[in-house]
C-alpha cells in the first residue's frame, strides 16, 4: 500500500499512520519527524530547516522532496509506505509524482482527515511527545501514567516548540493556503478518500480501516 495522509496539523495523521504501519506492513514516513531529528542532530538539513519550523512555516520544497525521494527508496519501504505530512504543496506533489514514476510505482489512495479548527487547537496545545521513542500523548485525552514520563520507554515528554498557541495559528494558515489545494488535486486524480477526523482515536481508526479495505477490494 502506498498512502498519503493529508490533513491540518493536529488532525491525527501521525497517530493513524503509526497504526497502519504496525498493522499493514507499510512504513510510516513522517517528514516532520525526520526534520525534527535532523534539527536535534544539527545536521546540515537540520540547520537549514530549523528556522522555518520554529516559525511554523514550510521548509523549502526541494529539501523535503529530496529527503522523501531518498527515504522511500530504502528497503523497508519496499512493501509500501504511508506519507505523513508530505506532500504539503503542489510543487511537492509534482515532485512525488516524478519520484514514483521513476520507481515504476503509484499511489493507492490519499486520505484527507477533516477536523474543525477549534478541535485542532485543543489537540495541539495539549499534545506531548516522548523525546526518546516519539510516542504521542495528550494531557487531557491520553495522559501518561506518570506526569512528564513516557509509559513505554520512560523517556521525558516534551511539548513541541511549534505546538505553542502563537505558532499553531501560523501553521493552520499555512495549511489553508498551501496544503489544502492538494485536496482538489487528488480528488481530480480519483485518489481522495475523505475521513471524518472527529471522535476517539479508535473511532477514527475504524473509519480508516474501512477505507483501506475499500481501496484493497
Ligand atoms: P509536522 O510534524 O508534520 O506538523 O511538521 C512540523 C514542521 O516541519 C512543519 O510545520 C514544517 O515546518 C516542517 N515540515 C514537515 N513536513 C513538511 C513538508 N512536507 N514540507 C515543508 N515543511 C515540512
Amino acid at each position: 500500500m502506498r498512502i498519503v495522509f493529508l490533513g491540518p496539523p493536529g488532525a491525527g495523521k501521525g497517530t493513524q499512520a503509526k497504526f497502519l504501519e504496525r498493522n499493514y506492513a507499510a512504513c510510516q514516513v513522517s517528514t516532520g519527524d525526520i526534520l525534527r531529528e535532523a534539527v536535534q542532530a544539527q545536521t546540515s538539513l537540520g540547520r537549514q530547516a530549523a528556522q522555518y519550523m520554529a516559525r511554523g512555516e514550510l521548509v523549502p520544497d526541494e529539501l523535503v522532496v529530496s529527503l522523501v525521494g531518498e527515504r522511500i527508496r530504502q528497503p523497508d519501504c519496499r512493501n509500501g509506505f504511508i506519507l505523513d505530512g508530505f506532500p504539503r504543496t503542489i510543487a511537492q506533489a509534482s515532485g512525488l509524482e516524478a519520484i514514483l514514476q521513476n520507481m515504476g510505482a503509484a499511489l493507492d489512495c490519499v486520505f484527507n482527515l477533516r477536523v474543525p479548527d477549534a478541535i485542532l487547537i485543543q489537540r495541539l496545545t495539549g499534545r506531548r511527545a516522548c523525546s526518546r521513542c516519539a510516542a504521542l500523548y495528550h494531557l487531557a485525552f491520553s495522559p501518561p501514567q506518570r506526569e512528564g514520563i513516557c509509559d513505554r520507554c520512560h523517556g521525558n515528554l516534551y511539548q513541541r516548540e511549534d505546538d505553542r498557541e502563537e505558532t499553531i495559528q501560523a501553521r493552520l494558515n499555512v495549511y489553508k493556503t498551501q496544503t489544502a489545494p492538494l485536496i482538489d488535486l487528488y480528488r481530480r486524480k480519483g485518489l481522495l478518500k475523505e475521513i471524518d477526523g472527529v471522535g476517539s482515536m479508535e473511532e477514527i481508526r475504524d473509519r480508516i480501516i474501512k477505507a483501506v479495505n475499500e481501496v484493497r477490494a
Side-chain angles (χ1 to χ4, degrees):
M1 294 281 286
R2 296 186 190 89
I3 298 173
V4 164
F5 262 110
L6 287 182
K13 301 186 295 294
T15 304
Q16 300 301 338
K18 280 191 178 74
F19 165 76
L20 288 184
E21 175 178 64
R22 286 196 298 275
N23 293 278
Y24 288 86
C27 180
Q28 179 201 13
V29 175
S30 156
T31 43
D33 285 351
I34 297 172
L35 290 167
R36 272 184 292 279
E37 274 166 29
V39 171
Q40 223 171 5
Q42 297 184 359
T43 62
S44 142
L45 170 68
R47 282 194 298 273
Q48 293 177 77
Q51 44 181 331
Y52 298 99
M53 296 174 75
R55 291 195 295 260
E57 293 168 10
L58 294 183
V59 171
D61 290 331
E62 55 280 12
L63 286 180
V64 215
V65 170
S66 85
L67 88 78
V68 169
E70 268 176 45
R71 182 66 190 87
I72 65 179
R73 285 188 176 88
Q74 300 296 309
D76 59 338
C77 287
R78 205 172 294 144
N79 285 330
F81 48 77
I82 304 135
L83 293 177
D84 156 15
F86 177 91
R88 259 170 149 109
T89 63
I90 298 278
Q92 291 181 18
S94 308
L96 174 62
E97 203 170 310
I99 294 165
L100 290 173
Q101 233 164 38
N102 198 264
M103 293 168 68
L107 291 177
D108 293 298
C109 66
V110 174
F111 293 141
N112 181 37
L113 276 172
R114 296 165 59 121
V115 181
D117 282 5
I119 296 180
L120 294 173
I121 292 166
Q122 197 184 25
R123 284 184 185 173
L124 290 167
T125 48
R127 180 160 74 172
R128 296 293 181 272
C130 174
S131 54
R132 202 182 290 165
C133 74
L136 293 172
Y137 296 86
H138 190 282
L139 295 183
F141 309 135
S142 54
Q145 277 165 13
R146 278 177 56 204
E147 197 185 318
I149 305 290
C150 177
D151 295 346
R152 281 198 220 154
C153 76
H154 306 296
N156 287 324
L157 302 187
Y158 74 104
Q159 181 179 36
R160 280 172 44 174
E161 206 183 319
D162 60 353
D163 276 349
R164 295 174 203 281
E165 217 151 336
E166 338 51 282
T167 321
I168 289 174
Q169 201 52 55
R171 291 165 67 206
L172 290 176
N173 290 341
V174 165
Y175 173 78
K176 281 176 192 153
T177 53
Q178 303 196 57
T179 308
L182 297 180
I183 298 171
D184 263 349
L185 178 100
Y186 286 121
R187 186 180 288 119
R188 284 199 301 274
K189 288 180 188 287
L191 287 171
L192 193 80
K193 285 217 169 264
E194 298 276 14
I195 309 276
D196 175 4
V198 179
S200 70
M201 236 155 41
E202 292 73 22
E203 284 166 337
I204 301 162
R205 187 187 64 198
D206 288 347
R207 292 175 200 140
I208 290 172
I209 295 173
K210 190 165 164 263
V212 168
N213 289 338
E214 282 166 14
V215 173
R216 288 170 135 191

